[in-house]
Amino acid sequence: MSGHAIHIKVDGRTYSGTYAVDRKMLTVTTTYGRKSAEIAPRMAHETLAHQLLQELVQQERSRKGSTL
């Protein structure tokens, strides 16, 4: 598995991570977590990676005491 850098902006802040594809699974990894999902047919890897990264950011921001 090789990693690809990914970045998103949420509320004016930039968040980054990496994603990797192994068979039909895509995994996004950040300093505050990891999330995987099965790749749907005809879905761009980067689109799914953006969605997973956004979910990770939202989860971390909703935790009490998060500094994100």
Side-chain angles (χ1 to χ4, degrees), residues 41-63:
R42 289 180 260 142
M43 178 177 239
H45 292 170
E46 196 162 308
T47 301
L48 179 57
H50 275 103
Q51 289 174 358
L52 294 177
L53 180 55
Q54 184 152 4
E55 289 174 17
L56 281 166
V57 168
Q58 288 173 345
Q59 287 172 1
E60 183 62 23
R61 292 177 79 188
S62 68
R63 289 181 202 190

Side-chain angles (χ1 to χ4, degrees), residues 2-63:
S2 63
H4 303 278
I6 187 166
H7 308 278
I8 62 168
K9 264 196 172 175
V10 178
D11 295 334
R13 290 189 66 183
T14 300
Y15 299 92
S16 61
T18 58
Y19 73 93
V21 177
D22 186 21
R23 297 185 188 126
K24 293 184 179 183
M25 295 297 290
L26 185 141
T27 302
V28 173
T29 305
T30 67
T31 56
Y32 42 87
R34 168 183 279 187
K35 193 167 189 98
S36 297
E38 188 172 348
I39 301 167
R42 289 180 260 142
M43 178 177 239
H45 292 170
E46 196 162 308
T47 301
L48 179 57
H50 275 103
Q51 289 174 358
L52 294 177
L53 180 55
Q54 184 152 4
E55 289 174 17
L56 281 166
V57 168
Q58 288 173 345
Q59 287 172 1
E60 183 62 23
R61 292 177 79 188
S62 68
R63 289 181 202 190

